[in-house]
Each structure stands twice: as structure tokens, then as C-alpha cells.
Amino acid sequence: MKIKRHGAVISLIAAGALALTACGSDQNTPAAGGGSGAAAPTGSAQVDCGGKKNLVAEGSSAQKGAMDVFAQQYGQKCAGQQIAYTPSGSGNGIKQFNGGVADIGGSDSPLKEGTETDAAKTRCKGDPAWNLPLVFGPVAVPYKLDGVTDVTLTPDVIAKIFTGAVKTWDDAEITKANGGKALPAKPIKVIFRDGDSGTTDNFQQYLAAAAPSSWTKGAGKKFVGGTGQSAQGSAGVAETVAAADGTIGFVEWSFAQDKKLNVAKIDSGAGAVTLSGETAGNAIKEAKIKGTGNDLVLDLKALYASKAANSYPLVLATYEIVCSKGYDADTAKAVKAFLTVAATTAQSGLADAGYVPLPQEFQDKLLTAVKAIA
């Protein structure tokens, strides 16, 4: 079903009647996908309910659908408890957390060292904030090429397509990536997201890590490839790709599922990999942490540059930013209860919303950090 957002703040009161939305980082959410193919996680943990009745969270709209699922499960597990999530964007999430308005901030990127970490330390009464990667959503490379439903691309070829160096579907490099099979001699029409987008930033970070010789444009929330046409939001990208032959774009997986778009396989060096819950989960399972202690900042460069077999490394991670210490006792108790539910039993509801349920190994890392919040 398609859920429209009414108002800036959406109260997530979990009484079992809340409809679940799919992943998206704009103001439109697609219908829930047809399932990720990943087995539902079985992890669970003891939840110490209580504390603050109404938690406040704000930030990345890419995790909006996941937060709906988490809130529903939280309310079922802890009767009378609820969380209100405002999907206002990562920048606002950090600002509202650091300003003491939000108990939890949601961001597609960890706190930046310096101004942001300093402000967070002040907000947390002298103790550091932690970045906890709780939500993972794959980024798909959808295309429309009449008569073709199976396309494999390498990171280098993707980079060259999105800089305009590869211009036609029958280019020799695309033919080579597809085992010598030539695709139709049609021009490639690149579609990218207009304005600032965490999905764009992660896609460009991926290309910089996986294809450094072919993508020298850098990263950032604005598309810097220098070719193609823009579309409004993730829904606009998916709709534009679906509407015209020869198109290609990048978008959160749930939007590609919603429009039933063909998605390119990616060959990072160990064979073509189809995007699925299993292959994205394999990448998450092997993700390395570069933060210290319970500050679980991911080494995205290593993740994106991975050449592991049967692994789809192009995934977007959303962090929950929390105080390691510094909450009042009621807030700390409720934050820990919510995050415990979100990291364990609530993960089983994510697959149909276009996200990847956390592997048990990653759940364990998160639970260790959550238990340490004081």
C-alpha cells in the first residue's frame, strides 16, 4: 500500500493498526516491496521497558519506513510507550539532537569530527555521542532497455556511464561485462536525483571507492557526474527510468521494486551479483567498524571497495545518534528499550519495507553498545 505523509511530525503510536511504509529519502514513499529474499532474523533480547513515555526522534527520511516498523514493535513490546519520528533529513536530525530537542538523531552519515561532535558532547553533558548504524537499505541501479532483462555492470562501467564516458548500451566495455553479449545500440540516458540526497552521496562514495580510476569527481549530496537529467526525489527517478527506453539511474531498492524495474547485477571482480536481501546482508555481515569502542562508525570505503563473492556492497546505512551518557534516567531507559527492540525482534519486519534485516553478528554489536548507554 502507498502511504502519504501528512504533516511534519508523524506520531508513531504502535497499537498494531499502523500501516508500514517503504524506504525512501524524499517526501514520497513507495509501496512495500515484494520481499528481500533474506531470512528473517531470529535475534531477541530482554527488554527493560519503562522510562520516558514519549520519545522524540528526527532525521533521515531514508529510514522512515524502518522507524514505522520499529515503533509498532516497540509499542507492542512496551505497552504505553511510543516514539514520534520526524523525517526532516539528516542535517536537521543532527541539529535537533545536538540542540536537545530530539532524544535520538537519525543520519545517513555519522557526526562530523569537530563542530558536530563537539556540540554532541555538550548536549550529552560532557560525554560523547555514539553513532549506531541500525538501518541498512540497498541502493539499486535500475534501467529500462526494451527487450533486455539481464544486464551486468562493473563498478568501472557504472562510473563511466554516470560521467558520460560510456554513452551507448552497445559500448565495448558493457559488452565485455556481459560475457561478450552485445546489448542494443541505443543511447544511454542517465537519470539522477535533483538537489541534496544522502542516497546520491552514498552512491558517489561507492564509485569513488570501487572505481577510483574511473570516478574522480568526488562525493557529496549533489550529483557531480556532469551528465544526464535530474528528477525530483527518489520517486521521480524511478518514474523517469520506468517511462523511457535506454534509461538508467540509482535509487533506493524499494523504489525500484515499486516500479517493477529491472536492476543491474554488479560484478566487483568475483562474478555477477544480483541485488537481494541475502547478497546485501552478506556485505553488512562483513562490514568493518572504524569507530572506537561502542561508537560504531562504519568503514564505508572498505565496504564499498569489497570484491567478495555473492556480496552486494552498494548499501546505504542510517545511524541512530545517541548519548553514551548524559540522558536523564527516564530517557536513558526508554532509549535503551526502543533500540533493543529495533535491533532485534523488529528487524523481522524490515524485508517487505525494502530494507535488509541485520545479520545476527551485527545485532550483537549493536546490543553491546545499547546496553552500555548510561
Side-chain angles (χ1 to χ4, degrees), residues 160-161 163-169 171 174 186-189 227:
K160 290 176 181 179
I161 287 174
T163 58
V166 168
K167 300 180 183 299
T168 62
W169 285 102
D171 186 277
I174 296 180
K186 297 178 180 180
I188 296 174
K189 304 170 186 175
T227 190

Side-chain angles (χ1 to χ4, degrees), residues 210-234:
S213 62
S214 299
W215 184 270
T216 59
K217 302 278 189 173
K221 293 187 175 183
K222 292 186 184 296
F223 180 67
V224 294
T227 190
Q229 78 176 71
S230 65
Q232 184 64 42
S234 298

Side-chain angles (χ1 to χ4, degrees), residues 128-218:
W130 288 340
N131 301 274
L132 305 181
L134 186 63
V135 179
F136 288 84
V139 177
V141 181
Y143 65 92
K144 184 176 182 182
L145 193 56
D146 289 347
V148 179
T149 58
D150 187 356
V151 170
T152 297
L153 301 173
T154 65
D156 279 311
V157 170
I158 296 172
K160 290 176 181 179
I161 287 174
F162 283 90
T163 58
V166 168
K167 300 180 183 299
T168 62
W169 285 102
D170 65 339
D171 186 277
E173 292 196 53
I174 296 180
T175 301
K176 181 179 179 181
N178 287 272
K181 178 183 176 181
L183 300 181
K186 297 178 180 180
I188 296 174
K189 304 170 186 175
V190 168
I191 311 298
F192 61 88
R193 169 119 173 223
D194 190 22
D196 290 351
S197 165
T199 304
T200 299
D201 190 20
N202 278 265
F203 179 71
Q204 294 181 147
Q205 287 187 58
Y206 164 75
L207 293 178
S213 62
S214 299
W215 184 270
T216 59
K217 302 278 189 173

Side-chain angles (χ1 to χ4, degrees), residues 81-135:
Q81 303 290 117
Q82 66 183 59
I83 183 168
Y85 187 71
T86 305
S88 60
S90 297
N92 283 326
I94 291 172
K95 181 179 178 180
Q96 297 295 74
F97 173 78
N98 283 346
V101 176
D103 303 309
I104 299 171
S107 176
D108 297 337
S109 303
L111 292 168
K112 293 183 177 66
E113 287 294 331
T115 304
E116 289 182 351
T117 55
D118 290 347
K121 190 171 183 179
T122 299
R123 182 258 194 270
C124 297
K125 300 179 181 178
D127 288 290
W130 288 340
N131 301 274
L132 305 181
L134 186 63
V135 179

Side-chain angles (χ1 to χ4, degrees), residues 26 28 140 142 162 190-194 197 200 229-243 247-252 255-256 259 261:
D26 59 10
N28 304 302
F162 283 90
V190 168
I191 311 298
F192 61 88
R193 169 119 173 223
D194 190 22
S197 165
T200 299
Q229 78 176 71
S230 65
Q232 184 64 42
S234 298
V237 172
E239 289 167 0
T240 304
V241 170
T247 51
I248 189 169
F250 58 91
V251 71
E252 298 96 320
F255 286 91
K259 291 297 179 182
L261 297 173

